[in-house]
Amino acid sequence: MTAEPISAPAAPAPASRALTPRSLLAGDLMLRPLAQGDEPAVAEALRDPGILRWAAGRAVTEAPEGERARRWLEPRLAGWAAGNAWFAVTQAEQGVLLGALSVREVNRLPDQAVVTYWVAPSARGRGIAAKALDAAARWAFAGAADGGLGLHRITLDHALLNTASCAVAARAGFGTEGTMRDYYVDTTGLRHDSHLHARLATDGPAPVG
Ligand SMILES: CC(C)(COP(=O)(O)OP(=O)(O)OC[C@H]1O[C@@H](n2cnc3c(N)ncnc32)[C@H](O)[C@@H]1OP(=O)(O)O)[C@@H](O)C(=O)NCCC(=O)NCCS
């Protein structure tokens, strides 16, 4: 997983990087912008050691348990304005947060972005992350006339130990491009070799699609 910011988010991005919040349908799933009301579900998810180790970021893991959800949510609610699209992944008709997904750093490198994701333990085993990731990638690749971001290349990374995330990436059409040595530092300070995966706008449909 791409290293999360260690402290508060960086200074606001130029207005040109701001993204318009929107929702995406992915079969029976709905990706919608995170909301303040997601805090209890986020707090529950942040009890999971896997999310804390691979996806929460140090600003969260170093906070007292009772403050972690707020520390996680606050900068992400402001994310769209800074070029980071943060979605709650929900069951379409219910709206309760099952997981979270970001399309971050949009156009930090021209026509590129980075994706990150987690799924709450109670919602795992149903392929939710791959479905959500595929929908987010298709939106990010779509042209502006179709409501998309018009990107060309989207990347993700995961520690080699995180084989579930590797399977998610492959199912969502993100091929492995190589291994980045000692790339990810986990919450205990351990360094992990990580896979870099990428999907291009010109790639064919994902296996999950
Ligand atoms: C990675 C994660 C998002 C996957 O959740 P999910 O969408 O419910 O995934 P599923 O349980 O449906 O499994 C997806 C794939 O991973 C495989 N998988 C699941 N758990 C696994 C495990 N412990 N070891 C190896 N493979 C595993 C499944 O077999 C499936 O493979 P397939 O698509 O080839 O059939 C979830 O485990 C998670 O949130 N983990 C903690 C946070 C995290 O690691 N985020 C990503 C950081 S890079």
Side-chain angles (χ1 to χ4, degrees), residues 1-2 48-56 115-121 123-131 156-159 161-168 170-171:
M1 170 70 64
T2 292
D48 173 56
I51 293 175
L52 290 175
R53 186 176 197 194
W54 301 127
V115 284
T116 64
Y117 45 83
W118 53 256
V119 171
R124 287 184 192 154
R126 291 148 50 186
I128 285 178
K131 266 196 246 176
L156 69 85
D157 60 78
H158 65 83
L161 282 184
N162 193 350
T163 46
S165 188
C166 196
V168 165
R171 193 162 281 273

Side-chain angles (χ1 to χ4, degrees), residues 6-206:
I6 285 182
S7 56
S16 61
R17 277 180 51 194
L19 302 171
T20 306
R22 59 160 298 160
S23 298
L24 307 171
L25 256 183
D28 58 343
L29 300 176
M30 168 79 85
L31 280 63
R32 59 153 173 81
L34 284 168
Q36 193 65 59
D38 292 322
E39 191 169 324
V42 170
E44 182 59 32
L46 289 178
R47 295 161 62 91
D48 173 56
I51 293 175
L52 290 175
R53 186 176 197 194
W54 301 127
R58 281 201 197 172
V60 171
T61 56
E62 287 174 359
E65 196 175 333
E67 284 180 32
R68 286 180 180 161
R70 186 181 56 75
R71 291 261 185 114
W72 187 88
L73 199 50
E74 258 176 18
R76 288 159 181 85
L77 290 175
W80 292 79
N84 301 313
W86 272 99
F87 293 101
V89 181
T90 72
Q91 205 68 47
E93 70 279 10
Q94 288 169 1
V96 178
L97 178 146
L98 304 176
L101 181 146
S102 69
V103 181
R104 301 172 39 171
E105 301 173 33
V106 173
N107 284 317
R108 186 177 69 80
L109 298 173
D111 305 327
Q112 298 196 35
V114 177
V115 284
T116 64
Y117 45 83
W118 53 256
V119 171
S122 58
R124 287 184 192 154
R126 291 148 50 186
I128 285 178
K131 266 196 246 176
L133 189 50
D134 177 52
R138 286 187 285 108
W139 164 64
F141 290 143
D146 296 316
L149 301 178
L151 301 183
H152 179 68
R153 174 181 162 89
I154 305 175
T155 59
L156 69 85
D157 60 78
H158 65 83
L160 298 194
L161 282 184
N162 193 350
T163 46
S165 188
C166 196
V168 165
R171 193 162 281 273
F174 287 70
T176 310
E177 297 199 329
T179 299
M180 302 185 290
R181 295 177 302 153
D182 280 357
Y183 180 74
Y184 183 77
V185 185
D186 74 17
T187 45
T188 67
L190 266 182
R191 296 180 190 279
H192 296 268
D193 290 354
S194 299
H195 270 165
L196 173 67
H197 291 249
R199 180 169 164 183
L200 304 185
T202 46
D203 289 341

